[in-house]
Amino acid sequence: GFEYRSQWTFKDTTATSNIVECVDVLSDINILVVAQRGSRCMFYDINKGSKHDPIQILKGGSHVWFIPDSISVNQDYFALSGRNPSAVFVWNWRKGVRLCHRVGTTKLISCNSRINSCL
């Protein structure tokens, strides 16, 4: 089960761009991933706690109205999908390299086949 150990804060929570929309934990390597509005994603080392800077920050684009709906992370890859506009972003998060991004106005467009084997 879960046990409360600490409270995490992510800058000024009254600012729209700092609202946390999605959280995922990769417990195998003690990583916490937080997706905020505007497609900014931050990776934290859980062992270091909330007072330390993120170990990685990824930014999908400059869509300030983008709202993350879903995130998924594994040992090497990270995927983020959301709306306003509809978009999908895929990164090799350890290297900070964006592998794919697709933005659509009415529906999501699939990423190219070279990254499908990664997810």
Side-chain angles (χ1 to χ4, degrees):
F2 292 98
E3 180 181 323
Y4 178 78
R5 293 202 177 188
S6 66
Q7 180 176 347
W8 290 68
T9 57
F10 306 99
K11 297 187 179 182
D12 176 15
T13 55
T14 60
T16 303
S17 62
N18 291 331
I19 294 174
V20 173
E21 295 290 344
C22 298
V23 175
D24 198 359
V25 176
L26 185 54
S27 59
D28 298 349
I29 57 173
N30 299 311
I31 299 295
L32 169 71
V33 184
V34 175
Q36 295 177 312
R37 288 193 181 184
S39 71
R40 181 175 56 200
C41 302
M42 297 177 292
F43 293 71
Y44 291 91
D45 183 335
I46 295 170
N47 293 328
K48 291 183 178 178
S50 62
K51 303 295 183 213
H52 292 275
D53 290 334
I55 58 172
Q56 180 69 279
I57 298 175
L58 302 174
K59 183 103 171 90
S62 60
H63 302 288
V64 295
W65 300 287
F66 179 76
I67 301 172
D69 286 323
S70 177
I71 59 176
S72 180
V73 64
N74 69 19
Q75 298 280 347
D76 297 307
Y77 300 98
F78 172 70
L80 167 72
S81 66
R83 56 193 152 86
N84 292 339
S86 295
V88 174
F89 302 96
V90 179
W91 289 273
N92 179 322
W93 71 266
R94 291 178 184 262
K95 295 179 181 178
V97 176
R98 186 169 61 192
L99 302 173
C100 174
H101 69 281
R102 295 289 182 249
V103 179
T105 55
T106 58
K107 63 180 181 176
L108 292 176
I109 303 166
S110 64
C111 292
N112 68 38
S113 60
R114 76 182 172 105
I115 61 142
N116 287 338
S117 62
C118 299
L119 302 176

